[in-house]
């Protein structure tokens, strides 16, 4: 029987993966630990290992897994920047992912961040609970007729463009591969420089690759409109966070909405409410009144979790039976 070791397993992973496993009845072993070189031994004798975004699937870890008989790493995410694909290929380990489980989940969360910031809902929530019904400091702005720049118009960026068309926004996009649906929606493709200088709202939906690491750095931020709304639900390292903090201090960035953070591993997905946060950059970000951070939850809807679990189990079956999967990832690509 196929045995699967599931790393970084949270209670919701147990719920959704167990439901998706009803038909196949594989032996699922849920392990709360994150996969790294020290925990890889837990997967000894497991042909399939299932991982999430903060698991370390680098070469050292893959070598241990391969030596112990693992033949398949099943990502329960779209992004795979945490996997050494070349190493996996050399070691004969198949890597699969869940390519598009619910672009709507991430796109709707993006809209939630834009609207919370533009209408200061995050501030109003705390204020009203404290019995303060004053409107001072809560002045918002309409996103109707504003220019929204979408960096990366793939599956998620396209749904963002669809949703924004309902708000009557002008949308401009930057992507090396423009897509037809966005063109139909009236998205105008422009250079990154033009997008940065023309947008009232900038939202990032490209993968993390060597090309997009710190895509939004000091030079890029020097081009933005003063008071811009900057949203990142893609990967933390696409933004140079220290440069972003400087731009917030100079009030060049008017609002910042993040679902991802450069150093989120070890912080996000954990309850640190009783601990002292040691990351000074994150702590500084949390002090700004115009910054709203969520802890990598954009994907986290019932619909998306069901799809992730079903596709992951289908990938495991496919690799166990045929050695491959339609959702196999090979070296050369990157994609929560
Ligand atoms: P996708 O692969 O459908 O689209 C990505 C788009 O980015 C493609 O059209 C690609 O051509 C474009 N792109 C690549 N390099 C670029 C560059 N240098 N500049 C501009 N565009 C570039 O991926 P999808 O499904 O839309 O996901 C996008 C990203 O969102 C993922 O890579 C992942 O990092 C992130 N994500 C975050 C989640 C969360 O919970 N916060 C959940 C799911 C995905």
């Amino acid at each position: 029987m196929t045995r699967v070791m599931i790393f970084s397993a949270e209670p919701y992973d147990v719920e959704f993966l167990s439901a998706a496993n009803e038909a196949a009845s594989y032996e699922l072993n849920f392990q709360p630990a994150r996969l790294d070189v020290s925990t890889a031994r837990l997967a000894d004798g497991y042909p399939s290992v299932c991982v999430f975004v903060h698991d370390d699937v680098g070469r050292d870890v893959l070598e241990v897994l391969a030596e112990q008989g693992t033949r398949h790493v099943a990502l329960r995410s779209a992004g795979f920047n945490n996997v050494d694909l070349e190493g996996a290929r050399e070691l004969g380990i198949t890597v699969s992912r869940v390519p598009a489980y619910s672009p709507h989940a991430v796109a709707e969360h993006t809209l939630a961040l834009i609207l919370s910031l533009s209408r200061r809902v995050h501030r109003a929530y705390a204020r009203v609970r404290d019995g303060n019904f004053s409107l001072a400091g809560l002045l918002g702005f309409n996103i109707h007729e504003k220019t929204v720049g979408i960096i990366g118009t793939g599956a998620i960026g396209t749904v963002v463009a669809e949703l924004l068309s309902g708000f009557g926004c002008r949308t401009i996009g930057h992507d090396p591969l423009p897509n037809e649906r966005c063109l139909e929606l009236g998205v105008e493709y422009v250079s990154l420089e033009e997008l940065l200088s023309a947008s009232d709202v900038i939202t990032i939906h490209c993968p993390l690759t060597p090309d997009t690491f710190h895509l939004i750095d000091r030079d890029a931020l020097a081009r933005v409109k003063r008071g811009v709304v900057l949203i990142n639900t893609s990967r933390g390292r696409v933004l140079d966070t220290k440069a972003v903090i400087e731009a917030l201090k100079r009030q060049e960035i008017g609002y910042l909405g993040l679902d991802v953070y450069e150093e989120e591993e070890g912080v996000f997905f954990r309850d640190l409410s009783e601990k002292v946060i040691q990351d000074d950059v994150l702590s500084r970000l949390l002090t700004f009144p115009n910054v709203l951070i969520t802890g990598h939850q954009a994907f986290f809807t019932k619909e998306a979790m069901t799809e992730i679990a079903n596709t992951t189990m289908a990938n495991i079956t496919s690799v166990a039976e045929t050695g491959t999967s339609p959702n196999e990832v090979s070296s050369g690509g990157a994609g929560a």
Side-chain angles (χ1 to χ4, degrees):
M1 192 220 288
T2 297
R3 302 172 77 214
V4 189
M5 177 60 79
I6 298 157
F7 283 94
S8 299
E10 297 286 345
Y12 44 82
D13 294 308
V14 178
E15 178 188 338
F16 286 94
L17 285 168
S18 300
N21 185 41
E22 258 178 32
S25 296
Y26 296 144
E27 182 189 319
L28 304 186
N29 191 329
F30 293 97
Q31 178 51 248
R34 197 176 145 254
L35 174 63
D36 60 23
V37 176
S38 65
T39 59
R41 294 275 168 218
L42 295 166
D44 194 358
Y46 282 78
S48 293
V49 163
C50 179
V51 300
F52 197 46
V53 291
H54 294 166
D55 289 304
D56 172 359
V57 199
R59 186 164 191 115
D60 294 0
V61 174
L62 286 162
E63 279 172 2
V64 177
L65 294 177
E67 189 189 292
Q68 297 175 162
T70 295
R71 289 286 159 263
H72 178 203
V73 170
L75 290 149
R76 45 186 198 281
S77 62
F80 47 88
N81 49 281
N82 52 334
V83 185
D84 179 342
L85 292 174
E86 192 54 33
R89 192 185 58 77
E90 285 170 23
L91 293 160
I93 294 181
T94 303
V95 179
S96 67
R97 66 170 181 146
V98 184
Y101 42 88
S102 175
H104 290 270
V106 183
E108 289 177 13
H109 192 77
T110 301
L111 264 289
L113 291 175
I114 296 173
L115 293 172
S116 298
L117 286 164
S118 66
R119 305 310 302 269
R120 301 185 186 251
V121 176
H122 60 304
R123 307 218 73 204
Y125 173 77
R127 193 183 276 200
V128 167
R129 283 175 70 96
D130 198 30
N132 177 355
F133 300 94
S134 155
L135 296 185
L138 295 185
L139 185 67
F141 61 89
N142 296 356
I143 66 163
H144 178 67
E145 293 187 343
K146 294 290 187 299
T147 299
V148 183
I150 305 172
I151 300 178
T153 57
I156 296 169
T158 300
V159 179
V160 169
E162 284 171 351
L163 298 176
L164 289 170
S165 70
F167 282 88
C169 297
R170 172 186 174 228
T171 44
I172 57 179
H174 174 70
D175 193 309
L177 301 169
N179 84 47
E180 279 303 317
R181 176 69 186 133
C182 283
L183 290 167
E184 270 171 37
L185 286 163
V187 176
E188 296 161 48
Y189 281 94
V190 296
S191 65
L192 181 62
E193 289 70 23
E194 204 176 328
L195 183 145
L196 293 170
S197 59
S199 301
D200 301 298
V201 178
I202 297 171
T203 182
I204 304 173
H205 302 289
C206 61
L208 175 64
T209 65
D211 285 344
T212 63
F213 176 79
H214 284 188
L215 185 70
I216 305 299
D217 58 7
R218 185 183 289 263
D219 290 346
L221 291 166
R223 296 175 186 273
V224 300
K225 270 192 189 178
R226 193 171 177 83
V228 69
V229 181
L230 178 61
I231 306 289
N232 186 14
T233 61
S234 68
R235 282 289 182 271
R237 293 188 175 93
V238 177
L239 290 189
D240 177 345
T241 317
K242 288 188 178 146
V244 165
I245 288 175
E246 290 308 314
L248 279 163
K249 284 164 74 177
R250 290 194 300 269
Q251 296 175 43
E252 285 158 8
I253 296 176
Y255 306 83
L256 177 70
L258 299 181
D259 186 53
V260 287
Y261 167 62
E262 274 198 81
E263 303 297 334
E264 67 180 54
E265 290 88 348
V267 179
F268 284 10
F269 306 141
R270 292 175 190 204
D271 178 1
L272 300 180
S273 55
E274 302 292 325
K275 302 245 163 67
V276 174
I277 293 180
Q278 299 295 327
D279 183 326
D280 291 349
V281 175
L282 178 61
S283 298
R284 180 68 179 100
L285 272 181
L286 291 169
T287 65
F288 291 95
N290 49 351
V291 172
L292 174 54
I293 302 179
T294 53
H296 209 136
Q297 72 175 72
F299 72 98
F300 197 48
T301 64
K302 283 182 196 168
E303 293 79 3
M305 288 299 289
T306 304
E307 188 58 33
I308 289 171
N310 289 341
T311 306
T312 301
M313 295 314 296
N315 287 343
I316 290 168
T317 300
S318 179
V319 174
E321 289 176 358
T322 69
T324 182
S325 152
N327 299 319
E328 186 169 337
V329 202
S330 47
S331 32

